[in-house]
Amino acid sequence: MNVRKNKIILENKELIDNFSIVDDKRQVPLYIEKLILHILLKNVFGKTLFSNNINDYLKEIPSYYLMKVANLIDREMYVSNQKTDYTDKYYLYLLYYLPCNIYKIWKPFLDLLLRYEMKVKLKVLDIGTGPGSVPIGIIEFFKILSRSFSKYRYFIEFQLVDSQEEFLNIAKFILTEIQKDLPQNLKITFNTNKINIGEDDTIFDLGVFDIITMSNFLNTNEIGDLYDPLKFLSKIKDNLSEDGSIIIIEPGEKNSCIQLKNLRNEVINNKILNIFSPCVPLWEDKETYLCNCFTTAKFTWNKPKIIKYLHEFGLRRNKYKEHVAFNYVIFRKDNRKKYRADKNKLNYTFLRELWETDEERVNIRGIIRFVSLNNNKYTFSICDGTISDYNKYNVWIDFSSSDVLEKHKPLITRMNMGEKIVIKKAKMIRKSNKSIRLIIDEKSKIDGCY
C-alpha cells in the first residue's frame, strides 16, 4: 500500500487479500451485538448486564417482546406507503436493521478503493444515520486498513444527520464505545445533528465533505413527501469536495432498485452529477441514461446471533437467506468512473449484436448485473451499455459442468453487481427474441477486472 495526495493506492492482490467480496462471509462483530443488546436491556427493561457470553444477554429479553418484534418486522415495518412513525420502533430497528445494514457500505467503498479514490483522512456526512449502521460499517472497513497497513495513520470525521433524536442518541452511545478500543493508528470524531430535511436547510451549512452517504434516501416510509430527491441532490452537491463521492444505498427489492435507477437517470440526464459506479457503459461514454432494469448487489454473511434468535421467536423475514441484497449508486462531479470506456472493440462482440451473429463462439465484455447461486450452480447476467432495455432483453451466462465451475471458482466467488468481466470463446447455446444464453466450457476463458 502507498498513499499519494491523501489517497490510498492498493495493489490488486492487496485488495483481494484484505477485502474479498463474497468468498469470506461477513461476520458482525460480537461487541456490536453486545452493544445493541446492552442498549435494549437498559433503555427498555432497565437492566444492566456484564457478561462475556452473548447468550446471557439474549436470555434477558422477555419472550413476549421478541415475538412482538418479529411480528412488527414481518407485518408492519415498511409495508405501506406511509411515513414510518418510529415512536415505538427505535429498538426494533436497532435489533434487526442495524446488523443487516452495516456491511452495505463496503461495496461502494471497495469501488472507490479499486480506483484510488479512498482517502486516509476522510470527512463523512451521513444523512439519515439511524442508529449508526453506515459509520459503524466505515469504521470496520478502516480497521482492516489500519491493521493490515499499520505504518499509516487514518482519521475519519463524521457529521451524523437524522430527524430522530433517539436514533442519534443510540448512534452517539455506540460510536463513543467504539472509540475506546480502536487501533492506535485509527482515530474517529463525530457530531450529531438533528435536522428535518425538507423543513430545515441547516444541513447545507455543515461544510464540505469527501463522502456524503444517504441510506433509504428514496424510501417513502422514511421521507414521505418531505423533499424532492433530485432537487436535494442539486443542492447537497455543493457540500461535496471536488474529488468527493455521494453514495446512495437502497434496499434490494425490485421497486427500490427501479426508483434508484430512475433517479440516477434524472441526475445524469440533467447533468447534475456524473455516475462513478456501478452502471457504467464499457464502449463509449453516455450522456443519457434510460434503463431502469432490476439488479442487485449482495454480500454473504454468517447471520448475527440476534437475528438467529429472532427467527426462533417467529421472525420469517430472510430466515432462509444467507446473504443480504441491496442497491447503490456512487455520484461524483469530476467525471471519474470506476471503469473507463474501452474504445478498442477489435475481436469483441457488442451484446446487442449477439442477436444478429451466427458465430458459435464469441468474445464479450460486460458489467455484471445479477449473480445467482442455487444448489452450487452459478449463473449470471451481464450488460455492456449497448442494450437499451434490459427489462426485455437479457444475456445470461452459465457454466457447462461442475469441473469448469470449480476451475474458475477463485474468480466467480468474488463476482458481484457492477464488476467488469471479460469472456473469450463463450459458446452460444440458446437464442430467443428476448434472451441469449451463453456457456463457459473447457475452451472458454474468463477474467475479472477487479
Side-chain angles (χ1 to χ4, degrees):
M1 172 179 160
N2 292 304
V3 176
R4 298 175 195 161
K5 296 181 180 180
N6 192 33
K7 294 185 178 180
I8 298 169
I9 312 296
L10 284 184
E11 299 295 331
N12 196 45
K13 186 177 185 303
E14 292 175 321
L15 189 71
I16 291 173
D17 287 348
N18 291 283
F19 293 100
S20 53
I21 296 172
V22 175
D23 48 347
D24 289 341
K25 290 186 175 182
R26 299 288 170 236
Q27 180 75 57
V28 175
L30 202 58
Y31 84 91
I32 293 293
E33 292 203 67
K34 287 182 180 179
L35 283 174
I36 290 171
L37 295 172
H38 171 84
I39 294 167
L40 174 73
L41 290 172
K42 181 178 179 181
N43 293 357
V44 178
F45 302 105
K47 298 180 179 180
T48 301
L49 188 65
F50 299 98
S51 174
N52 291 323
N53 189 342
I54 192 171
N55 293 323
D56 293 338
Y57 290 85
L58 292 170
K59 290 175 182 177
E60 289 295 317
I61 308 173
S63 299
Y64 78 85
Y65 186 83
L66 292 166
M67 288 187 286
K68 175 185 174 183
V69 167
N71 184 64
L72 285 171
I73 291 172
D74 281 335
R75 298 179 181 274
E76 295 188 26
M77 286 292 285
Y78 311 130
V79 296
S80 72
N81 290 324
Q82 301 300 313
K83 191 171 186 300
T84 300
D85 180 1
Y86 283 106
T87 303
D88 61 347
K89 299 183 177 70
Y90 296 112
Y91 303 103
L92 174 158
Y93 193 100
L94 176 68
L95 272 178
Y96 180 79
Y97 289 99
L98 187 141
C100 287
N101 291 338
I102 287 174
Y103 290 114
K104 291 179 181 179
I105 192 64
W106 279 33
K107 182 65 173 68
F109 264 45
L110 282 165
D111 286 357
L112 294 169
L113 196 61
L114 182 70
R115 286 295 171 253
Y116 318 132
E117 293 297 338
M118 185 55 62
K119 300 178 180 180
V120 290
K121 294 181 180 179
L122 201 62
K123 291 184 68 175
V124 179
L125 172 63
D126 184 32
I127 301 172
T129 201
S133 56
V134 167
I136 293 169
I138 292 174
I139 292 166
E140 292 300 316
F141 188 92
F142 269 82
K143 278 184 180 180
I144 294 176
L145 285 170
S146 62
R147 288 167 178 159
S148 299
F149 308 101
S150 57
K151 75 174 184 177
Y152 297 99
R153 299 185 66 82
Y154 308 83
F155 178 76
I156 312 171
E157 177 187 327
F158 291 104
Q159 291 287 346
L160 310 180
V161 172
D162 205 282
S163 63
Q164 305 293 316
E165 188 74 41
E166 191 64 33
F167 274 149
L168 291 172
N169 289 336
I170 292 171
K172 183 177 180 179
F173 176 82
I174 293 175
L175 294 183
T176 299
E177 292 300 309
I178 289 175
Q179 280 181 318
K180 297 176 182 178
D181 190 27
L182 289 173
Q184 289 188 347
N185 58 335
L186 172 60
K187 182 180 179 182
I188 67 166
T189 64
F190 65 90
N191 291 299
T192 59
N193 306 269
K194 185 178 182 299
I195 298 175
N196 290 300
I197 296 173
E199 300 175 1
D200 183 348
D201 285 344
T202 57
I203 188 171
F204 303 111
D205 300 325
L206 292 177
V208 176
F209 299 88
D210 304 300
I211 300 284
I212 299 175
T213 58
M214 308 176 192
S215 302
N216 296 321
F217 176 62
L218 303 175
N219 189 338
T220 55
N221 299 115
E222 299 284 357
I223 69 170
D225 56 0
L226 285 176
Y227 61 84
D228 179 292
L230 190 66
K231 290 181 180 178
F232 182 78
L233 284 173
S234 299
K235 292 188 68 175
I236 201 68
K237 74 174 185 179
D238 293 335
N239 295 83
L240 188 67
S241 66
E242 290 304 313
D243 61 349
S245 301
I246 293 177
I247 300 172
I248 302 176
I249 299 174
E250 296 292 323
E253 290 84 6
K254 184 174 182 178
N255 287 341
S256 297
C257 175
I258 291 172
Q259 276 186 306
L260 182 57
K261 288 196 172 179
N262 283 332
L263 175 66
R264 174 207 64 189
N265 296 348
E266 289 188 273
V267 169
I268 304 304
N269 298 345
N270 285 283
K271 300 184 181 348
I272 296 169
L273 294 157
N274 72 274
I275 188 170
F276 178 85
S277 72
C279 295
V280 291
L282 291 185
W283 302 110
E284 60 185 5
D285 292 327
K286 291 174 63 174
E287 294 186 0
T288 303
Y289 274 70
L290 300 174
C291 176
N292 63 357
C293 69
F294 174 49
T295 55
T296 182
K298 64 179 69 172
F299 65 84
T300 58
W301 67 341
N302 291 317
K303 280 185 185 170
K305 289 183 176 291
I306 289 174
I307 292 179
K308 288 181 179 179
Y309 203 61
L310 284 170
H311 284 142
E312 292 179 19
F313 285 85
L315 178 67
R316 295 192 302 275
R317 181 169 294 188
N318 294 329
K319 184 173 183 178
Y320 302 106
K321 289 183 179 179
E322 297 301 324
H323 68 268
V324 176
F326 61 98
N327 283 284
Y328 74 98
V329 65
I330 303 177
F331 291 121
R332 292 172 68 93
K333 55 185 182 183
D334 60 2
N335 289 316
R336 288 277 287 167
K337 294 180 175 64
K338 182 179 177 183
Y339 299 117
R340 296 174 182 172
D342 190 342
K343 307 297 183 181
N344 181 16
K345 185 218 171 195
L346 188 65
N347 297 325
Y348 287 93
T349 302
F350 289 166
L351 294 187
R352 71 171 180 233
E353 296 173 344
L354 291 177
W355 278 267
E356 303 164 9
T357 184
D358 292 324
E359 297 290 332
E360 181 185 5
R361 291 185 180 272
V362 291
N363 299 335
I364 56 175
R365 291 176 175 170
I367 300 291
I368 293 172
R369 296 178 57 241
F370 188 84
V371 179
S372 174
L373 171 61
N374 289 307
N375 298 321
N376 291 321
K377 180 180 179 182
Y378 268 89
T379 184
F380 59 96
S381 63
I382 60 174
C383 169
D384 68 350
T386 64
I387 297 175
S388 59
D389 190 351
Y390 263 90
N391 288 313
K392 293 182 179 179
Y393 304 100
N394 286 281
V395 178
W396 287 91
I397 317 292
D398 291 326
F399 292 85
S400 62
S401 68
S402 57
D403 289 340
V404 173
L405 181 66
E406 191 64 30
K407 174 184 174 182
H408 296 291
K409 206 145 193 184
L411 169 67
I412 63 174
T413 52
R414 282 189 285 269
M415 293 195 314
N416 210 336
M417 183 188 83
E419 307 299 350
K420 182 179 175 181
I421 194 164
V422 178
I423 306 174
K424 294 183 178 180
K425 295 184 179 180
K427 185 176 181 179
M428 187 99 65
I429 63 164
R430 189 165 68 250
K431 183 190 302 185
S432 69
N433 290 336
K434 295 183 179 181
S435 179
I436 296 286
R437 183 74 62 169
L438 303 173
I439 282 287
I440 294 171
D441 61 14
E442 293 84 355
K443 295 182 179 180
S444 308
K445 294 182 180 179
I446 63 174
D447 187 24
C449 304
Y450 54 94

